Amino acid sequence: MILLDPPWQLATPIGDAECHLFDPGGADAISRFLCTINATSEFWWFTQREVRRNTNITEGRTTMTPFSPEVMERFRPMREAADRL
């Protein structure tokens, strides 16, 4: 596990988040990210396929690859709950 200080700003299927821990997983495991969702303050683990670096015009990151439909569908109930807050 790697403690990220300062936390990384990431986009997740639930919404924007801060990533605090990174678990590189190793040779036979998937990398995971422990994030706090900005809208709800909930902690969630996400795999590498489920996170993106936020856009940042100053750093030249003006676009972000969209999440796959399967990922978006899997997180739909959590997104809807976060939108109600």
Side-chain angles (χ1 to χ4, degrees), residues 38-56:
N38 294 346
T40 63
S41 299
E42 297 173 322
F43 285 93
W44 282 85
W45 280 103
F46 295 98
T47 66
Q48 187 170 347
R49 292 181 48 218
E50 300 165 344
V51 295
R52 304 282 189 273
R53 286 293 305 260
N54 282 350
T55 57
N56 184 326

Side-chain angles (χ1 to χ4, degrees), residues 28-71:
D28 293 333
I30 296 171
S31 298
R32 298 182 314 148
F33 301 81
L34 178 64
C35 299
T36 305
I37 305 301
N38 294 346
T40 63
S41 299
E42 297 173 322
F43 285 93
W44 282 85
W45 280 103
F46 295 98
T47 66
Q48 187 170 347
R49 292 181 48 218
E50 300 165 344
V51 295
R52 304 282 189 273
R53 286 293 305 260
N54 282 350
T55 57
N56 184 326
I57 234 171
T58 305
E59 294 182 14
R61 290 193 316 269
T62 57
T63 60
M64 186 174 68
T65 304
F67 295 105
S68 70
E70 296 82 16
V71 167

Side-chain angles (χ1 to χ4, degrees), residues 12-15 71-84:
T12 74
I14 299 174
V71 167
M72 293 305 287
E73 182 58 28
R74 186 163 83 86
F75 286 97
R76 185 178 49 79
M78 289 71 101
R79 241 186 5 266
E80 291 171 353
D83 288 344
R84 285 193 293 270

